[in-house]
Amino acid sequence: NATSIGQSAFNNCTKLANISFPNATSIGNNAFYTCTALTSVSFPNATSIGSSAFYSCTALTSVSFPNATSIEGNTLSRCTSLTSVNIPLVKNIISYAFINSSKLTDIYLGYNGIVRLSNTNAFNGGPTNTIIHVRSEYADQYATATNWSSLISSGRLTIVGDYSD
């Protein structure tokens, strides 16, 4: 019944594999920092996810935060097994959000508009051919959007207009 997960609450918890907090609306900074056995998470109502919340959760393969509006700095950095992220309401992705998450192949963005990417550092040292799934009506706009355009032209990201609710 927890409605929030505090800062560093499960920091360095090496035996925690699966977590579900259906009522939690916020996840604090470093909440699951280096939880290396963590393979799945469920936070269907989380709107706020703190910086480095899942930093270096090396066994985590996919995450879905259906109500999160912002992905903070280092939130999913060094998640070396992470392949898929579903963040349909996110409006902002902050620096280093996915740094060194080299297996990340699919990110699903459902926001009605262009998701603000604070800078290209969100993907440093990480994925080299990630597909960004967006609503079809916004796909072309990403090609010229601030910070997205350089990642797209470099070949590091591909925008595909195939997202639907």
Side-chain angles (χ1 to χ4, degrees), residues 21-163:
F21 288 96
N23 298 319
T25 58
S26 65
I27 304 168
N29 297 344
N30 304 311
F32 298 94
Y33 189 96
T34 64
C35 289
T36 54
L38 192 59
T39 58
S40 70
V41 299
S42 178
F43 288 94
N45 291 306
T47 57
S48 170
I49 302 169
S51 65
S52 300
F54 296 94
Y55 182 92
S56 204
C57 290
T58 55
L60 197 58
T61 58
S62 68
V63 296
S64 180
F65 299 115
N67 287 299
T69 57
S70 183
I71 297 297
E72 298 299 323
N74 290 306
T75 297
L76 293 161
S77 293
R78 300 189 185 278
C79 292
T80 54
S81 297
L82 188 65
T83 60
S84 177
V85 174
N86 183 25
I87 44 178
L89 298 181
V90 76
K91 296 177 184 176
N92 296 298
I93 298 175
I94 308 302
S95 298
Y96 306 111
F98 306 106
I99 193 171
N100 293 322
S101 294
S102 57
K103 292 184 181 176
L104 186 56
T105 56
D106 294 284
I107 299 176
Y108 297 87
L109 308 173
Y111 174 63
N112 286 321
I114 306 299
V115 173
R116 183 181 165 272
L117 185 62
S118 67
N119 60 47
T120 59
N121 292 337
F123 297 94
N124 276 3
T128 55
N129 55 357
T130 300
I131 297 173
I132 307 293
H133 303 268
V134 300
R135 293 180 182 278
S136 60
E137 61 264 36
Y138 299 106
D140 290 341
Q141 294 176 32
Y142 275 87
T144 57
T146 302
N147 296 322
W148 289 102
S149 59
S150 62
L151 289 168
I152 293 165
S153 64
S154 73
R156 293 181 63 201
L157 301 179
T158 301
I159 300 293
V160 177
D162 65 354
Y163 182 89

